[in-house]
Each structure stands twice: as C-alpha cells, then as structure tokens.
Amino acid sequence: MPSLCVFGAQWGDEGKGKIIDRLSRNADLVVRYQGGANAGHTVIVGGEKYVLHLVPSGVLRPGTLNVIGNGVAVDPLTLLEEIDALTDRGVSVTPENFLLSSSAHVIFDFHRRLDALAERWRGDGRIGTTGRGIGPAYADKAARLGLRIGDLVSERRLRGRLTACVGEKNAQLERIHGEAPIDLEAAVARYRALGDRIAPFIGDAGAAIRDAYAAGRSVLFEGAQGAMLDLDHGTYPFVTSSNTGVAGVGVGTGFPPQKIERVIGIAKAYCTRVGEGPFPSELTGPLEQRLRDEGNEYGATTGRPRRCGWFDAVQVRHAVAVNGADGLVVTNLDVLDGFDEIEVVTSYRHTDFAGGSTETYPTGFAAWNELEVQSEARAGWKAPLTACRTWEELPAAAQGYVQWLEALVGVPIVMLSVGPERDQVIPRGLE
Ligand code: GDP
Ligand code: IMO
Ligand code: MG
C-alpha cells in the first residue's frame, strides 16, 4: 500500500486510532491531514491505553515517521503536552520520528475562548463542539488572519502577524462579547517560547511526503472525525471545520490527490455521535444505554456520553460515495455479541422523498426531526468474538451480518475489529 487514506465513515470515533496503529506496521509514514486536537484516537497495546489528539497514530511503531500536515490546526501547547506525556511513558517523539508542517495553522488560547463564546451565542442551535478552538482557528485561516506554525519561530513574524489578528479579535471580544481583551505582549512572549520548543520538529511536510513516496516508501493518511462531520458533505452546520475524507488529503498535505492509491473507510458495526445534530438511526432508552455500556461509548477527548444507534446503511453509502472508498473496515463487532437482535437502517422516510422513502442519502435535506427510518433486523450470534482472528472462526450469524453490511454498502469489508487491542483484527484483504 504505497499510499492509502483511511477515514472515518460515520460521525467520528469509529476506531481510526486502533486501525491506523495496526496498519502502520506496513507504513513508513503516517500523516494527519486535517482537524486538530478535537480528535481523540485510542490505541491500546498490551493493555496500555494511549489517547492521541494531534500526534499521528503511527507513533507507537518504531521506525515510522509521523507527520502533521499543513491542513491540521495545531495548538502548540496541547501538542507539547501530548509529546511530553508520551515521552514520560517511554514513547519516543523526536525529530527522527515526528515532523510538523511549518504551514499548519496555529490554535491560540483566544480561539478556545471564541469557540466557547460562539457556542453560547448559538444557544439552542449549539453544535456541542469539543471546545478546542477548531472553528475559530479555521475561520481565521479562511479569513487570512491566521498564523502558521512557521510564524512562531521568529519574534518579528509572530508580532507582525499576531498584531493584526489580535486587533480584530479584541474588537470582537470587547465590543461584541463584552469580554476582556487579549494582551498582545503576553501572547507574543508565550507563543515565542512555545515556538522555540516545537522548532526542532518543524519542516516542509509536503516535500517530505512527496519525496518519501517517490522513493517507494509507503504513506498512510490518517483521517480525523468522520464523513458526516465533513464541513461540506456532512450534516451542516453540525459538523467540524475541515474536510475529513480523502479530499482533505491533497489540500491538507501537499500530496497530489491523484496519487492516493487506496481509500478505506472505517465504520462501527453500529453507530455513535457526540455533540448535537441529526442522527437518523439514534436509539433512546435502555437499548441505547446498552450499546453505550457494551461499547464503553464515552468521548475520548471530552468524556461526554456518546449518542448510540444502529448501523445506518444510507449514511455509510453516502460516506463511501463521497470518498470513492474501495473498502470498509468494520470495528466494534464484538460489542454486539450479546444482542438477541441487531438492526440496520436501510432507508429513510419522509414525504419530501419521491415515493415517500429514499435509500440514497438526501443531501440538502433539512427536516431531520420529521424523518423516519426504516430498519431491518437479524438474529444476533450471541457468542464472544474477541478471540476470533480469522473469518472461519466467526459464527455463521456474525459472518452473515458482515456480508449483509457488505451488500448494503456496496464495497468489500476488508478488515474486522473484534476488540480494542492492536491484534484483535480479522484481515479480509487489508493487512
Ligand atoms: P477514533 O477517534 O476513531 O480513533 O475512535 P476512538 O478512539 O475515539 O473510539 C473508539 C473506541 O473504541 C476506543 O475506546 C477504542 O479503544 C475502542 N475500540 C476500537 N476498536 C474496537 C473494537 O473492535 N471493539 C471494541 N470493543 N472496542 C474497540
Ligand atoms: P475523532 O477523530 C467525534 C464533533 C464535536 C461536535 C462537532 C464540532 O476522535 O473521531 P469541533 O470541536 O470539531 O468544532 O466540534 O464535531 N467532533 C467529533 N466527534 N469524534 C471526533 O474526532 C470529533 N471531533 C469533533 O463533538 O459535534
Ligand atoms: Mg475519537
């Protein structure tokens, strides 16, 4: 797999960290291309749990170069804290195995403040963001007010760029929000110091990726969030502020998109969402709580309980279509071990749809609260899958469930995950 993009095919938390860590044994480079520390990617190796927010999930494999591309929004303090925490646990993060794009945008403290204030202003329409300053930082990027990582290493550059940005922010903070202004000098001093600490990692990430690929090395692009949180193709405005799928790779790394050879989506065997917004297959009551308990569905970044529902084939088909996915990895299959019956959403119903129902995701649809879903049920397998390592070891009902999803989604399911540990996978065409 000289170049492979792996993205979330639902609303995030599909198990990307676990699968990227697994696949990174065959990768020379693991590259984050969008998002920021809103991501929480869990990797469990030998009972040791690591939750990665910014550092790519290849960091636990010695010999892998982990790259943060220009499309990622980086809070330098969070990054350093993460690097320090990993180092304390014996995971080396050095310029040998970690490269940070000089063109990645910086998330400042004030972006976090503005994230919280924007949520307050949205009132009932709040998104339920992770509070990591993502939206305001990407807004500044698009408004050409943002600062990039390379701006932190020179006092002249930092002060010049920050003066303009802080001027605009202070007008906003003081006049709109009635809040205390940002102290420019304090910010310059604080971020210059952070710039010094991250300086050894900074470089031309795009060139490094292109050169490595040209030299025959394999590159794994690690998506964050998920297809339905994509700024353009997700459930806008209840989305994040970046392009989460394969389209994010070209802009977020400087790697030519036509050179991405394989695209794989990751979906849970059911579905979760954190934060507000449409979630057609969402369950309520004891069934939802059961999925949450069995799947330990609490946010890796914010600790919030995740909303839980059945696998939504309409939604996953949309993710596959928008990204041209060649295949799907299905995770958390073991979470369904105890269920008598397992359902899958197969179509949406609403009077707006021709004939009253649709099997195709209704882009542009807005009346989510009036939507009804049509689902089908199958008997569960009622046996533990966590020790299965081959397709043949799976009970027939579990095989049937996977084949059913495969038929509904229309692409091969190339790997199954049956537990959070690195080795708890069943390869089916993806190693
Ligand atoms: P990510 O953001 O896509 O990397 O996913 P998260 O790490 O936020 O959430 C996935 C959760 O599921 C984590 O707690 C993982 O340890 C866990 N996990 C991953 N794969 C499996 C699996 O196959 N079975 C079970 N039971 N848990 C899994
Ligand atoms: P990983 O990479 C799940 C959600 C937030 C909120 C919306 C916007 O671990 O899958 P933001 O802070 O990005 O402005 O919040 O997106 N969200 C995630 N949900 N997993 C994530 O990342 C998420 N990152 C953001 O809950 O609804
Ligand atoms: Mg997560």
Side-chain angles (χ1 to χ4, degrees), residues 339-343 377-382 396-398 400-401 404:
F339 285 78
D340 293 330
E341 273 204 334
I342 301 167
E343 285 182 47
R378 292 226 173 166
W381 44 90
K382 304 277 283 178
Y401 181 66
W404 184 33

Side-chain angles (χ1 to χ4, degrees), residues 34 70 83 138 146 151 158 171 219 278 355 373-374 376 386 403 410:
Q34 46 69 235
N70 59 277
I83 290 173
Y138 278 113
D151 295 326
L158 173 59
V219 186
V373 296
Q374 178 76 43
E376 289 172 33
T386 47
Q403 286 165 331

Side-chain angles (χ1 to χ4, degrees), residues 11-13 16 38-41 127-130 225 239-240 274 304:
W11 275 276
D13 303 327
K16 297 177 292 294
N38 49 349
H41 294 181
I127 297 167
T129 71
T130 59
Q225 291 79 56
V239 293
T240 190
V274 209
R304 291 178 287 179

Side-chain angles (χ1 to χ4, degrees), residues 13-18 40-42 300 306 332 334-335 417-420:
D13 303 327
E14 298 91 347
K16 297 177 292 294
K18 183 236 156 108
H41 294 181
T42 313
R306 294 175 180 151
N332 291 44
D334 56 297
V335 171
S417 176
V418 290

Side-chain angles (χ1 to χ4, degrees), residues 150-321:
D151 295 326
L152 301 183
V153 297
S154 132
E155 171 137 3
R156 196 174 51 81
R157 262 164 82 181
L158 173 59
R159 186 184 300 277
R161 299 283 310 151
L162 203 54
T163 302
C165 185
V166 162
E168 196 260 4
K169 295 298 165 246
N170 279 346
Q172 211 177 321
L173 282 167
E174 292 184 284
R175 298 197 205 140
I176 300 178
H177 300 293
E179 293 274 324
I182 301 154
D183 179 339
L184 176 68
E185 287 311 315
V188 169
R190 178 167 155 80
Y191 285 89
R192 257 306 287 128
L194 291 170
D196 277 344
R197 289 193 58 204
I198 57 174
F201 301 111
I202 302 175
D204 184 342
I209 301 164
R210 290 189 299 272
D211 291 350
Y213 179 74
R217 302 177 76 199
S218 58
V219 186
L220 174 57
F221 294 99
E222 172 177 7
Q225 291 79 56
M228 306 313 290
L229 291 170
D230 182 277
L231 179 59
D232 287 86
H233 302 290
T235 49
Y236 192 89
F238 301 98
V239 293
T240 190
S241 299
S242 62
N243 291 114
T244 58
V246 66
V249 173
V251 285
T253 65
F255 185 76
Q258 75 276 21
K259 294 198 169 155
I260 302 163
E261 294 163 45
R262 201 169 178 196
V263 180
I264 302 289
I266 304 191
K268 279 177 182 154
Y270 49 98
C271 192
T272 64
R273 174 166 200 164
V274 209
E276 307 302 321
F279 181 6
S281 70
E282 183 170 19
L283 292 166
T284 51
L287 203 49
E288 184 192 29
Q289 190 56 45
R290 176 142 185 234
L291 272 173
R292 188 178 294 126
D293 290 343
E294 303 281 350
N296 190 23
E297 295 292 358
Y298 295 88
T301 297
T302 58
R304 291 178 287 179
R306 294 175 180 151
R307 298 157 66 189
C308 300
W310 296 121
F311 187 92
D312 179 345
V314 179
Q315 175 271 300
V316 177
R317 273 198 296 269
H318 173 68
V320 164

